Amino acid sequence: AGNLDHAEAACCAGACCMEGRGTAVDEAKGLEWFRKSADHDGFEGQYNLGQCFRRGVGGVDENPELAVRWFNASSDNRFPEGMYAMAMCLEQGYGCEQDSTQAAELLAKICDKYILPAATLSLATHYLKGRGVDQDLELGEKLARLAWKQGMVGPAREVLEAVGLSTDLELLAKSFDPASDGPLSRAEEK
C-alpha cells in the first residue's frame, strides 16, 4: 500500500502543479510528479503522463508512442479513463496500429464494470456501424440510450439520428437495466 499511497499523492501533486491549485502553474513540475506516480504503478499518474505526451505539455513534445505506452499501462491497471484513452488510440491508430476490434473489446470491458458515458456512446457507435464488431442495431440503440441517460444527451441524439433511429423521449424513459437486460454482457461476448 505504501507505493500506491505514494503514487496517489504524487499524482495529486502533479495535478496541483498543472492546474495551479495552491501553487503557481508549473507544467514541468507537474510532469515530474506524474512520472513519479507512474513509476510507482499509479494508474492515474500513468494516464496523466499519457495525456502529457498526447498533448505535448509539461516540457515534452507530442509523442504518440509514449502516450500509448502510458495509456496502456493505465489500462492494464483497470483505470477507466486510461482504458478509454487506449481504446481511442486503437480506434484512431494514434501511436499504435489501428484496431477497431480491440478498441471495441476494451470499450465493452469499461461498460461492464464502470459508468463512463463517453465509452458507452463509443461502444454504441461500434455496434450501430459494425466497426470492430458484428453490426447490432438493437444493442447499439440500447447503448446510445444508456449514454443519453448517463448525460451524453446531445452526442447520443446525434448518433441515434445519424443512423435513422428515434430520439423520442418516451422511448428513452423506458427502463433499461443492464443487469437484467444483459446488453453489456452480450457486448463483451462479441
Side-chain angles (χ1 to χ4, degrees), residues 59-135:
V60 296
D61 291 330
E62 180 182 353
N63 186 323
E65 289 77 21
L66 282 176
V68 164
R69 173 184 167 202
W70 290 110
F71 289 150
N72 194 46
S74 181
S75 177
D76 287 348
N77 280 319
R78 299 291 183 244
F79 183 57
E81 285 83 354
M83 295 169 75
Y84 179 71
M86 190 64 223
M88 293 301 93
C89 290
L90 287 163
E91 182 61 37
Q92 298 162 6
Y94 179 83
C96 60
E97 190 173 325
Q98 194 276 339
D99 189 338
S100 293
T101 301
Q102 198 173 356
E105 289 171 3
L106 202 46
L107 291 167
K109 287 178 184 178
I110 297 167
C111 292
D112 272 347
K113 295 186 188 281
Y114 308 100
I115 297 174
L116 193 62
T120 306
L121 188 58
S122 292
L123 186 59
T125 302
H126 276 75
Y127 277 99
L128 291 168
K129 296 183 177 184
R131 220 172 44 221
V133 294
D134 291 334
Q135 187 176 35

Side-chain angles (χ1 to χ4, degrees), residues 120 141-151 172 176 178 184:
T120 306
E141 181 178 10
K142 285 182 178 183
L143 287 165
R145 291 187 184 289
L146 178 59
W148 186 325
K149 287 182 180 182
Q150 292 173 338
L172 177 61
F176 170 63
L184 300 182

Side-chain angles (χ1 to χ4, degrees), residues 42-53:
F43 49 83
E44 193 168 359
Q46 293 166 336
Y47 166 76
N48 286 333
L49 194 53
Q51 288 291 7
C52 288
F53 284 109

